[in-house]
Amino acid sequence: GDADGAGPCDLRGPARQKAPEKAGEKGVTSVEKIDYKKTEKHLYMPKQPAIVEVPEMVFFAVDGRGDPNTAPAYAAAMEILYGLSFTVKMSKMGGEEPEGYFEYVVPPLEGLWWTDDPAFDGRAPADKNRFYWTSLIRQPDFVTEEVFSWALEKLARKKPELDLSGARFWRWREGLCAHILHVGPYDAEPASIDKLSAFTAEQGCAPDFTPDRRHHEIYLSDPRRTAPQRLKTLIRHPVRKIHTFS
């Protein structure tokens, strides 16, 4: 069952979306693609729990609420985020690439999760319809508000049935966080959250959940192609240093 999973248990990650990257990348072998999971490994694939300062990044984001396994809004958010992200990535095919464009791998899907309980730390409520979420995909630094508007227009023409009004461009500096790489089913995340909480306290830090800083998950595996026990999910919590006076 999925009683304890931190968020959307079965269809997080790009599960609802066909993998479009394979089709468009044939023949692009000579250019080294930037893959942030590799160039900024400490932010995506830490070997051990770690305290990190997360710098400002650029995202496309969609906000919603409800059970991600069943809410039509979540399925729509996936379609919008991947649609916009691949519109920008494939812009060079039509000779419309933005200024500063470089070859890159579309970064992984991410999710911020919360409920009406201010102390929510990622353990799923019994009723997943109580979830609020922000789904987001990081964009390369050359993506600006103007590039976002261009991608919106382009996607609207291609898929007029999609309601794009909820999509937003977001520059976000997450700041001081603790994170841990969880390997295994989404339902088993509470054990990793316990480890992360213990590590945070050992490092002289405390959780610092605010409306700008939430329980954060980065989906590093495709659940359609990965056995549950091998799924990799980065779990990140905002923290603050506790001042100790000797």
Side-chain angles (χ1 to χ4, degrees):
D2 55 4
D4 301 311
C9 292
D10 307 315
L11 287 175
R12 312 191 238 213
R16 292 186 182 268
Q17 191 69 9
K18 292 185 186 66
E21 73 272 25
K22 291 287 173 279
E25 291 187 2
K26 286 190 178 64
V28 185
T29 47
S30 54
V31 182
E32 189 62 34
K33 291 193 190 72
I34 296 287
D35 183 347
Y36 290 120
K37 297 188 300 301
K38 293 174 182 164
T39 58
E40 298 176 9
K41 210 166 187 171
H42 68 293
L43 293 178
Y44 293 95
M45 308 279 260
K47 290 191 164 62
Q48 304 290 337
I51 303 288
V52 289
E53 181 70 37
V54 184
E56 183 179 275
M57 298 178 192
V58 172
F59 296 90
F60 293 161
V62 176
D63 306 303
R65 72 170 300 180
D67 182 340
N69 292 308
T70 56
Y74 192 79
M78 297 302 97
E79 202 173 347
I80 291 165
L81 289 174
Y82 281 100
L84 289 170
S85 297
F86 280 97
T87 297
V88 174
K89 179 182 166 57
M90 306 314 287
S91 59
K92 67 174 187 339
M93 295 300 189
E96 298 179 276
E97 64 268 35
E99 192 178 333
Y101 182 95
F102 52 79
E103 290 287 348
Y104 64 99
V105 175
V106 170
L109 179 73
E110 310 187 29
L112 306 175
W113 300 91
W114 68 100
T115 65
D116 291 320
D117 173 5
F120 174 76
D121 67 357
R123 294 159 218 267
D127 176 9
K128 289 197 174 72
N129 290 310
R130 290 176 49 216
F131 268 128
Y132 297 90
W133 40 262
T134 298
S135 290
L136 52 162
I137 295 179
R138 183 181 176 181
Q139 302 300 311
D141 295 339
F142 64 76
V143 175
T144 60
E145 196 104 43
E146 291 73 33
V147 174
F148 170 67
S149 300
W150 170 85
L152 267 184
E153 274 176 42
K154 189 112 174 141
L155 186 60
R157 286 200 299 273
K158 190 176 167 190
K159 295 200 167 176
E161 72 283 0
L162 274 185
D163 176 6
L164 300 176
S165 60
R168 62 191 174 95
F169 174 85
W170 191 23
R171 273 186 200 283
W172 182 41
R173 182 178 164 274
E174 196 170 8
L176 193 68
C177 293
H179 64 197
I180 187 169
L181 186 63
H182 169 74
V183 181
Y186 299 131
D187 292 351
E189 281 182 13
S192 292
I193 292 170
D194 288 341
K195 279 185 201 156
L196 185 60
S197 300
F199 171 79
T200 300
E202 281 161 20
Q203 298 299 308
C205 292
D208 190 31
F209 295 108
T210 70
D212 273 337
R213 293 171 20 102
R214 308 282 192 189
H215 170 81
H216 185 175
E217 301 186 353
I218 302 180
Y219 307 110
L220 299 163
S221 306
D222 182 343
R224 297 159 306 165
R225 300 193 196 131
T226 311
Q229 65 272 21
R230 297 183 61 191
L231 286 170
K232 288 181 178 168
T233 307
L234 185 80
I235 299 173
R236 188 182 285 160
H237 281 177
V239 298
R240 60 186 167 82
K241 288 251 194 293
I242 302 169
H243 293 291
T244 50
F245 299 98
S246 50

